[in-house]
Amino acid sequence: MKIEWIPDYPLDDECIQAMEKAADQCLISEGIPFPCSITVRLCDDENIRRINALHRNINLSTDVLSFPSVAYPAGKTASACQHLLQKEYDDETSACFLGDIVISVPHCLAQANEFGHSKVRESAYLLVHGICHLMGYDHIKEVERLAMRKMEENILSSVSLERNMEDPATQTIQPDEELIAAAREAMKMSYSPYSRYPVGAAIRTEEGRIFTGCNIENASFGLTNCAERTAVFKAVSEGFHRFTAIAIAALHPSWPCGACRQVLNEFAPGITVWTTAEGYPVRMKKLTELLPESFGPKDLQ
Ligand code: THU
């Protein structure tokens, strides 16, 4: 992969080298037999926010943006559209231009810290994520998201940058994909005209049933019910009191609020909590980590 770097913000050579290796692997994994090129701008949060506002009408900073040169037909990725890529051939670089990527370096470093990854893994991950978009991958529909995640992890493990499985934040147990998908669906039902912060939740009973919930706001703000409590109350009102896991879907990965932690603790102090947001890795914690030294039914026995 030929990369034209636009280094508006500095990043270590070690990261750049890993990114270049991962970029080459993207073409190999996708099965593209000819050279391709991209531009990669490394900038700060303020600049990525400006670019996001200008081109996508979203006035927020983010980790990575990608602008593909090819409009792939629905459901198709680069390997199936090589004729479209070849139209982007550029004599100057002797390669087919896939598009532009913008990465916020401060955002990348903060995420590496938050997820317990090295900055090398996080910067390579963001570039691979951007290149996957330039190759036609997307994460709007659940099936597409899973295909994109699988592709990203295959590429990163081929260059020995797989997730650090020792890290609890990146979990060693398999995510409950069915529960996570149900939380994402439930998020669509959110009634949140005041905060404009939709949240969905899905809770799994010991019997294996799933109950979903969304946040339901009220003009009298204090009466708002969170997604997690909606899901718990729906399940309890149907006679289910024992739970193994809950998944939460929101605009960014967030853990249940204090009130919801206490309500979950009432029924399932050992529950597993998954959190998910589009464009972020799924994360898991136990309620015992989120609400240590809890007060609950055990104290009243
Ligand atoms: N919210 C939830 O649904 N779950 C949480 O754990 C935190 C917050 C909702 C409540 C409100 O509708 C919106 O998010 C903003 O606080």
Side-chain angles (χ1 to χ4, degrees):
M1 180 83 80
K2 301 198 172 172
I3 304 181
E4 185 196 332
W5 293 98
I6 309 170
D8 291 345
Y9 196 100
L11 183 61
D12 293 4
D13 278 353
E14 199 195 349
C15 294
I16 300 286
Q17 277 160 20
M19 291 163 97
E20 288 183 338
K21 220 167 129 193
D24 288 339
Q25 186 60 42
C26 290
L27 296 179
I28 297 168
S29 296
E30 183 65 8
I32 304 295
F34 43 80
C36 289
S37 69
I38 54 175
T39 75
V40 181
R41 180 183 296 274
L42 301 173
C43 65
D44 62 11
D45 275 349
E46 175 52 17
N47 263 314
I48 206 165
R49 183 197 60 73
R50 251 190 249 143
I51 297 169
N52 208 6
L54 186 69
H55 296 284
R56 298 175 66 232
N57 221 5
I58 301 177
N59 193 16
L60 290 173
S61 125
T62 185
D63 47 3
V64 56
L65 291 173
S66 32
F67 301 96
S69 61
V70 172
Y72 296 93
K76 292 259 186 315
T77 63
S79 56
C81 305
Q82 299 191 13
H83 56 293
L84 291 178
L85 281 182
Q86 275 160 353
K87 286 191 190 155
E88 302 302 321
Y89 183 80
D90 177 7
D91 284 333
E92 220 171 280
T93 56
S94 309
C96 300
F97 182 59
L98 287 180
D100 303 291
I101 292 176
V102 184
I103 293 174
S104 160
V105 176
H107 221 106
C108 167
L109 300 182
Q111 272 172 203
N113 218 7
E114 187 189 343
F115 300 139
H117 294 151
S118 66
K119 59 186 172 183
V120 173
R121 146 87 203 188
E122 190 61 18
S123 49
Y125 168 74
L126 292 181
L127 183 63
V128 166
H129 184 80
I131 295 175
C132 283
H133 275 304
L134 299 188
M135 298 195 308
Y137 289 82
D138 216 331
H139 42 74
I140 297 171
K141 291 196 198 129
E142 183 59 11
V143 282
E144 292 172 349
R145 193 189 70 84
L146 293 176
M148 185 169 179
R149 287 293 307 124
K150 198 165 165 210
M151 179 72 174
E152 290 166 350
E153 281 311 314
N154 283 344
I155 294 166
L156 288 161
S157 48
S158 312
V159 293
S160 307
L161 284 172
E162 56 271 77
R163 279 181 178 180
N164 174 9
M165 292 316 235
E166 311 279 283
D167 170 15
T170 55
Q171 80 270 328
T172 49
I173 64 167
Q174 284 300 309
D176 185 337
E177 296 292 356
E178 189 191 17
L179 199 65
I180 290 164
R184 291 204 174 104
E185 273 306 302
M187 185 180 164
K188 296 181 187 157
M189 304 307 288
S190 164
Y191 176 75
S192 45
Y194 306 108
S195 72
R196 296 184 198 283
Y197 188 78
V199 185
I203 195 161
R204 190 182 279 290
T205 71
E206 273 191 3
E207 298 79 4
R209 279 194 52 179
I210 292 179
F211 287 85
T212 59
C214 60
N215 54 334
I216 305 169
E217 299 187 344
N218 191 278
S220 165
F221 294 166
L223 294 179
T224 292
N225 205 60
C226 292
E228 297 89 328
R229 275 175 291 144
T230 306
V232 172
F233 295 159
K234 279 170 70 182
V236 172
S237 66
E238 301 273 322
F240 294 87
H241 288 200
R242 294 158 76 91
F243 307 107
T244 56
I246 185 166
I248 299 148
L251 294 179
H252 73 97
S254 56
W255 302 105
C257 76
C260 290
R261 293 178 196 198
Q262 184 66 26
V263 167
L264 287 168
N265 184 65
E266 183 72 21
F267 298 102
I271 197 169
T272 298
V273 184
W274 297 98
T275 177
T276 165
E278 200 186 308
Y280 293 88
V282 171
R283 299 180 65 198
M284 183 275 275
K285 285 185 195 282
K286 301 297 276 186
L287 184 63
T288 44
E289 283 178 79
L290 298 170
L291 192 67
E293 310 289 350
S294 66
F295 180 84
K298 65 176 177 359
D299 297 291
L300 299 179
Q301 271 159 14

